[in-house]
Amino acid sequence: MKATLFVIENDTDHALAKGLIEKLMRSDDPADRARMTAQARLIEAYERGRWPRKAQSLPDLLNYLMEQHGLSRADLVPLLGTPSRVSEVLRGKRDLSMSMVRKLRDRFQISADLLISPMRRRGVAA
């Protein structure tokens, strides 16, 4: 199938590009598979710019992890230090120390990048 890729600049182009992907998916031609991959990358680039993902706040992330693991605030005390420190972290009033990050990372088996504020990752004191 002879198909021209769509450069996506608006929602109409986006819809056309998705339609092209659907057509190319039905083909067994290696050239069409290559076109489909290229068009999918263009769609992904447009979608990332149009609907960027926002990083979840630390309090939201910790509340989610607590809910998923059936934990209470008291269960975070051994990881964060004191009940008042747990409260400050969960209210967004305190950043995590590297010791806290390590303990949370190990407890929940998640990337430390999720726990470190973007400002600290860039070497800027928060």
Side-chain angles (χ1 to χ4, degrees):
M1 162 190 318
K2 190 77 168 170
T4 302
L5 299 179
F6 291 97
V7 175
I8 306 166
E9 296 178 350
N10 54 50
D11 289 343
T12 302
D13 295 341
H14 183 249
L16 292 170
K18 287 172 51 178
L20 177 60
I21 290 281
E22 288 179 27
K23 289 179 187 172
L24 292 172
M25 286 176 70
R26 292 185 229 126
S27 175
D28 291 328
D29 182 0
D32 286 342
R33 292 290 175 175
R35 285 185 193 94
M36 181 180 68
T37 299
Q39 188 64 68
R41 288 182 178 149
L42 290 170
I43 290 171
E44 180 183 18
Y46 174 77
E47 289 175 352
R48 282 184 187 209
R50 179 80 162 85
W51 301 291
R53 286 190 171 180
K54 182 181 160 204
Q56 196 172 34
S57 73
L58 179 61
D60 288 343
L61 174 63
L62 290 177
N63 281 309
Y64 172 79
L65 290 169
M66 288 168 47
E67 180 183 317
Q68 293 299 305
H69 291 261
L71 302 177
S72 68
R73 287 174 170 245
D75 295 317
L76 293 184
V77 171
L79 303 171
L80 302 181
T82 65
S84 63
R85 199 167 285 154
V86 170
S87 180
E88 290 172 345
V89 169
L90 291 177
R91 286 185 295 136
K93 301 294 182 188
R94 175 187 279 270
D95 282 335
L96 299 173
S97 69
M98 290 312 293
S99 173
M100 292 176 196
V101 168
R102 282 187 210 94
K103 289 175 185 176
L104 290 166
R105 178 199 64 197
D106 294 344
R107 168 62 177 88
F108 295 113
Q109 297 296 304
I110 60 174
S111 170
D113 288 342
L114 296 172
L115 301 166
I116 301 171
S117 72
M119 296 299 279
R120 283 187 65 185
R121 270 188 249 137
R122 286 188 286 223
V124 177

